[in-house]
């Protein structure tokens, strides 16, 4: 019985991601084919004046841009099914490789931001909730609300100004030191370049989780079971540990996994500010320069990324929440 | 064991704008419960029964203001003492099954309230007494029926080994037999020297086990008497409201009185029961009567004899 339910659940999820991806393919393709940016012009760039119309047609021919959109879509889709995402026009290498390289850089950034914003945000939320109405709570709440309304790029610029320009502690941008041979780049170089963008993303990320955790803890503290636990003589940290944490942990975990989309969106902006060579940076370039294959590849990949975050949240619930795990074993 | 002297509990609420409104939920309440006896607090909903329980344990909400005095085992029950004693010397059987932590196994919840002896042994013993299995101990509250959840709550309070048990409506939703078992349990505890305060709106439950009955009306005690006084036409009762309660029972005359309990923010300035009382006079209207001794009981009525 249980097995069967799990199988149906998984099939449902699989169907959902497939339809989602298909719809995404169609919509992005249509949007991009109506985009005012001429891919040939974007490809050639400043040399446009020196390229004859014949040459332009040849370029079009080479990329298959002169075919009707439907045919291009079918060809692209057929290649996609075989795992071929095409070749990026601006990087002149397979889209798959570009995404792989860029994502590896972004992953370090996003993982650091995700981890720190989760832990710090949760602790902040619990602290605020435990001290509801007192000055500590007010300060934390004010801080979070300010952060929640702070644009990522603005905070990034601010950090660059303070820590890179004035204090000179961290590099202004890029993923590795400029002008250094790639075999000479140390792990420390990479970490050093990662700190500011990761800090930007973490600082922005704590607001959401802190405010949600705070509210949830306040609700839990008002509940009948906390009242009863207090009647049993529990108080302070023991009360929080025995009855509070477990009940606020689940929503916090879900929220954190469901925030993959915001994380990705944030990384696009942060990477742009810091010229960090991650996936977000590639997205902006692909969009601005009309690199259709790369942009479509990134759209599909980011959809998968966000979807897997939500899926993980669901799976964790399945494992952690007894009301779901044991509901069928009654 | 416990004396409550002149206890009042009020709430401050903000109405439109910054106008504050004080609502008196419990006013000038006097009670005492001795070791070895069950005192039943009887009253309709909104008469301040649960609040009284929370006040004794010191777990009132923060917007509540409490005046008056509590004395436990001969010493004033200060907030510090309440904090130290609750769960150890005073235990609550709560009213709602939501009082169980939804993410904690039933057995574990009982074990956390054991103060003396081995948690597991005490919990097992309690569960056996209330017909709960070791499988039930591993269940989460959502897997328990309402009756089972109530039995877990009762076990939890009794597992503490407290000397003062405050049972806030422990029986509704229980199977008749289990309800009876719970009451028998409370009786046994009292016979062993505990003091039991049984809060209920069910006169039948109260009369079955209690030694003393305190009748609550609009947040104050109108009469305290031996439960044996509730008999026949209620001619032994001292207060018109107690008599009205008694006569309203289906097995007696099934005769209700008109009107309703006054709202907490519109309490009459005189006797709280005067608007509904047949014997009310202008004296009742103007002055709130004190609780006075009468025939081995107490009453808050100037006309009682």
């Amino acid at each position: 019985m249980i097995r069967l339910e799990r199988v149906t659940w998984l099939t449902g999820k699989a169907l959902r991601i497939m339809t989602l991806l298909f719809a995404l393919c169609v919509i992005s393709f249509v949007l991009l084919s109506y985009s005012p940016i001429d891919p040939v012009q974007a490809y050639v760039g400043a040399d446009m004046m020196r390229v004859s119309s014949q040459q332009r047609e040849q370029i079009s021919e080479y990329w298959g841009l002169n075919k009707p959109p439907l045919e291009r879509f079918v060809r692209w889709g057929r290649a996609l099914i075989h795992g071929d995402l095409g070749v990026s026009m601006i990087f002149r290498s397979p889209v798959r490789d570009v995404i792989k390289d860029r994502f590896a850089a972004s992953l370090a950034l996003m993982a650091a931001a995700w981890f720190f914003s989760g832990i710090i945000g949760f602790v902040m939320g619990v602290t605020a909730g435990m001290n509801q109405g007192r000055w500590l709570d007010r300060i934390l709440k004010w801080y979070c609300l300010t952060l929640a309304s702070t644009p990522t790029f603005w905070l990034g610029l601010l950090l660059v100004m303070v820590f890179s320009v004035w204090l000179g502690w961290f590099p202004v941008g890029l993923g590795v030191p400029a002008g250094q041979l790639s075999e000479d780049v140390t792990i420390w170089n990479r970490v050093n370049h990662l700190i500011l963008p990761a800090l930007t993303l973490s600082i922005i990320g704590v607001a959401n989780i802190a405010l949600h955790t705070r509210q949830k803890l306040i609700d839990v503290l008002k509940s009948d079971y906390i009242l009863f636990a207090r009647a049993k003589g529990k108080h302070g940290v023991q009360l929080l540990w025995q009855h509070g944490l477990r009940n606020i942990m689940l929503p916090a975990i879900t929220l954190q996994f469901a925030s993959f989309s915001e994380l990705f969106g944030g990384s696009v902006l942060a990477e742009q500010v810091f010229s960090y060579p991650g996936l977000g940076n590639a997205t902006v370039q692909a969009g601005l320069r009309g690199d259709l294959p790369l942009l479509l590849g990134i759209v599909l990949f980011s959809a998968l990324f966000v979807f897997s975050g939500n899926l993980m949240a669901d799976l964790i619930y399945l494992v952690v929440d007894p009301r779901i795990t044991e509901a069928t074993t009654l | 064991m416990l004396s409550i002297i002149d206890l009042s509990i009020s709430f401050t609420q903000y109405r439109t704008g910054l106008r504050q409104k004080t609502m008196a939920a419990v006013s000038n309440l006097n009670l005492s419960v001795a070791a070895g006896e069950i005192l039943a607090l009887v009253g309709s909903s909104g008469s301040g029964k649960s609040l009284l329980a929370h006040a004794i344990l010191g777990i009132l909400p923060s917007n509540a203001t409490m005046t008056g005095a509590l004395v436990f085992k001969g010493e004033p029950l200060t907030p510090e003492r309440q904090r130290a004693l609750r769960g150890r010397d005073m235990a609550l059987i709560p009213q709602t099954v939501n009082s169980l932590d939804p993410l904690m196994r039933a057995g574990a919840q009982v074990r956390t309230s054991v103060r003396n002896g081995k948690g597991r042994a005490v919990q097992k013993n309690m569960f056996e007494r209330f017909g709960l299995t070791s499988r039930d101990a591993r269940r989460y509250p959502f897997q328990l029926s309402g009756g089972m959840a109530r039995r877990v709550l009762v076990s939890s309070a009794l597992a503490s080994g407290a000397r003062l048990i405050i049972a806030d409506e422990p029986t509704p939703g229980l199977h008749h037999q289990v309800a009876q078992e719970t009451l028998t349990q409370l009786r046994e505890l009292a016979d062993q020297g505990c003091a039991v305060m049984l809060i209920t709106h069910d006169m039948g439950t109260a009369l079955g086990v209690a030694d003393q009955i305190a009748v609550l009306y609009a947040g104050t005690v109108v009469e305290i008497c031996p439960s044996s006084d509730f008999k026949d036409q209620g001619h032994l009762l001292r207060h018109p409201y107690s008599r009205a309660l008694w006569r309203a029972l289906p097995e007696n005359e099934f005769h209700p009185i008109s009107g309703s309990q006054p709202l907490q923010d519109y309490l009459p300035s005189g006797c709280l029961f005067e608007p509904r009382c047949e014997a009310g006079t202008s004296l009742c209207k103007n002055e709130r009567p004190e609780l006075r001794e009468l025939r081995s009981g107490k009453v808050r009525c100037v006309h009682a004899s």
Side-chain angles (χ1 to χ4, degrees):
Chain A
M1 271 312 282
I2 304 161
R3 286 263 165 269
L4 189 68
E5 268 170 38
R6 291 282 153 90
V7 169
T8 358
W9 185 79
L10 276 174
T11 325
K13 285 279 170 193
L15 268 176
R16 204 171 296 174
I17 181 69
M18 299 236 266
T19 47
L20 175 73
L21 286 180
F22 180 73
L24 259 178
C25 288
V26 174
I27 293 170
S28 329
F29 201 93
V30 169
L31 277 176
L32 281 171
S33 55
Y34 283 106
S35 149
I37 296 174
D38 176 12
V40 177
Q41 190 174 345
Y43 172 66
V44 177
D47 295 334
M48 203 60 193
M49 301 305 285
R50 283 191 272 152
V51 176
S52 69
S53 64
Q54 208 182 353
Q55 282 172 307
R56 289 176 64 170
E57 257 165 49
Q58 277 177 345
I59 297 171
S60 267
E61 178 95 40
Y62 178 76
W63 291 111
L65 291 168
N66 52 357
K67 304 251 168 37
L70 190 66
E71 196 188 324
R72 277 155 54 198
F73 181 70
V74 171
R75 276 179 57 183
W76 177 74
R78 201 173 287 158
L80 184 68
I81 291 170
H82 292 104
D84 179 11
L85 285 163
V87 176
S88 160
M89 292 159 75
I90 49 177
F91 291 99
R92 315 255 161 113
S93 58
V95 167
R96 219 169 46 174
D97 296 345
V98 176
I99 291 181
K100 212 161 71 186
D101 291 350
R102 290 306 187 107
F103 184 64
S106 284
L107 194 65
L109 174 64
M110 287 194 282
W114 185 80
F115 184 76
F116 287 114
S117 67
I119 301 282
I120 297 170
F122 187 73
V123 172
M124 275 170 66
V126 170
T127 315
M130 285 292 277
N131 294 290
Q132 193 206 349
R134 277 179 240 159
W135 60 268
L136 190 60
D137 173 41
R138 279 184 214 181
I139 290 175
L140 286 173
K141 210 167 74 180
W142 174 84
Y143 180 70
C144 287
L145 288 172
T146 312
L147 280 182
S149 44
T150 305
T152 314
F153 70 89
W154 182 81
L155 183 73
L157 288 174
L158 203 71
L159 291 182
V160 168
M161 259 167 64
V162 176
F163 291 103
S164 305
V165 180
W166 294 349
L167 297 172
W169 291 356
F170 300 107
V172 177
L174 301 179
V176 290
Q180 197 158 328
L181 290 175
S182 58
E183 54 261 39
D184 295 339
V185 173
T186 59
I187 184 88
W188 165 242
N189 286 146
R190 290 187 190 280
V191 171
N192 202 23
H193 280 79
L194 187 75
I195 292 175
L196 272 194
L199 194 65
T200 311
L201 279 182
S202 310
I203 291 179
I204 295 281
V206 296
N208 200 7
I209 184 114
L211 288 174
H212 274 90
T213 303
R214 171 186 178 274
Q215 192 52 47
K216 183 69 193 170
L217 182 61
I218 288 170
D219 291 345
V220 166
L221 288 178
K222 274 190 215 149
S223 68
D224 288 318
Y225 57 86
I226 289 290
L227 188 71
F228 182 46
R230 287 178 56 211
K232 292 202 287 186
K234 312 281 177 223
H235 59 91
V237 177
Q238 192 194 21
L239 180 70
L240 180 74
W241 187 254
Q242 277 185 353
H243 301 285
L245 277 188
R246 221 178 313 202
N247 284 288
I248 55 172
M249 201 81 119
L250 280 175
I253 289 174
T254 324
L255 196 70
Q256 197 57 2
F257 276 98
S259 73
F260 273 27
S261 60
E262 281 154 55
L263 195 66
F264 190 82
S267 81
V268 171
L269 293 167
E271 286 176 13
Q272 201 56 27
V273 171
F274 293 96
S275 314
Y276 188 84
L279 199 57
N281 194 294
T283 317
V284 177
Q285 286 188 40
L288 289 178
R289 296 171 62 185
D291 188 344
L292 206 88
L294 182 58
L295 196 55
L296 281 171
I298 291 175
V299 165
L300 291 183
F301 180 79
S302 56
L304 267 177
F305 177 69
V306 172
F307 186 86
S308 57
N310 291 337
L311 187 70
M312 274 186 255
D314 285 345
L315 286 174
I316 286 173
Y317 247 103
L318 270 184
V319 177
V320 178
D321 192 339
R323 284 165 294 193
I324 300 176
T325 353
E326 295 193 13
T328 45
T329 60
L330 240 182
Chain B
M1 181 86 72
L2 175 79
S3 305
I4 302 166
I5 302 145
D6 228 13
L7 182 84
S8 297
I9 303 169
S10 59
F11 288 92
T12 317
Q13 278 196 336
Y14 284 96
R15 290 291 165 87
T16 44
L18 284 174
R19 275 197 305 139
Q20 279 188 4
K21 186 127 207 172
T22 312
M23 317 223 303
V26 170
S27 38
N28 307 97
L29 186 141
N30 288 283
L31 262 187
S32 64
V33 52
E37 75 167 17
I38 297 184
L39 170 78
L41 255 74
V42 183
S44 57
S45 307
S47 54
K49 302 184 303 268
S50 292
L51 272 179
L52 178 63
H54 294 170
I56 296 169
L57 291 160
I59 50 171
L60 284 173
S62 54
N63 62 332
T65 337
M66 196 186 101
T67 58
L70 296 165
V71 178
F72 183 69
K73 285 186 177 167
E75 275 176 68
L77 196 53
T78 57
E80 294 76 43
R81 209 158 157 247
Q82 281 175 322
R83 213 170 299 142
L85 295 186
R86 62 178 174 237
R88 214 181 69 200
D89 289 74
M90 319 186 280
L92 173 74
I93 301 175
Q95 187 174 10
T96 142
V97 293
N98 293 337
S99 299
L100 290 174
D101 185 333
L103 295 181
M104 205 174 187
R105 292 178 199 275
Q109 308 211 27
V110 174
R111 288 196 288 278
T112 59
S113 47
V114 177
R115 294 301 185 92
N116 302 307
K118 269 215 169 326
R120 198 164 286 274
V122 176
Q123 174 251 316
K124 266 189 136 167
N125 182 15
M126 279 298 155
F127 270 34
E128 256 165 46
R129 260 156 95 177
F130 287 100
L132 295 163
T133 63
S134 56
R135 229 181 116 200
D136 297 331
R138 284 194 303 276
R139 286 191 155 129
Y140 286 95
F142 80 96
Q143 294 166 314
L144 300 172
S145 70
M148 285 156 92
R150 274 194 181 280
R151 280 180 272 163
V152 173
L153 288 176
V154 176
S155 323
S156 178
L158 302 192
S160 65
R163 305 302 290 162
L164 171 67
I165 310 278
I166 303 168
D168 191 0
E169 307 269 13
T171 52
L174 283 187
H175 185 269
H176 177 73
Q177 224 171 333
V178 185
Q180 215 48 51
E181 169 61 27
T182 308
L183 294 175
T184 315
Q185 230 14 274
L186 291 178
R187 185 68 258 174
E188 266 176 35
L189 282 172
D191 293 342
Q192 287 160 18
C194 288
V196 178
M197 197 175 215
L198 173 65
I199 296 173
T200 178
H201 61 258
D202 179 11
M203 193 63 110
T205 310
L207 292 177
V209 288
D211 303 293
Q212 300 258 16
I213 306 274
V215 180
L216 255 75
Y217 184 77
T220 199
V221 170
V222 292
E223 174 166 359
I224 303 171
C225 67
S227 51
S228 55
D229 281 2
F230 282 86
K231 64 175 186 191
D232 305 333
Q233 267 71 55
H235 56 275
L236 284 177
L237 295 171
R238 294 149 193 80
H239 197 278
Y241 180 64
S242 318
R243 262 198 300 276
L245 262 187
W246 177 243
R247 287 175 59 197
L249 287 182
E251 55 270 37
N252 299 329
E253 294 166 49
F254 211 6
H255 170 77
I257 55 166
S258 60
S260 61
Q261 191 167 251
L263 292 174
Q264 292 161 350
D265 41 351
Y266 297 104
L267 289 184
S269 53
C271 171
L272 297 175
F273 187 61
E274 183 274 330
R276 296 170 78 185
C277 187
E278 285 170 1
T281 60
S282 61
L283 180 67
C284 303
K285 220 179 205 108
N286 297 324
E287 221 173 298
R288 202 170 284 181
E290 293 293 316
L291 193 67
R292 62 185 170 97
E293 302 269 346
L294 183 70
R295 289 189 279 115
S296 69
K298 285 176 183 170
V299 68
R300 198 189 267 279
C301 175
V302 287
H303 302 299
S305 57

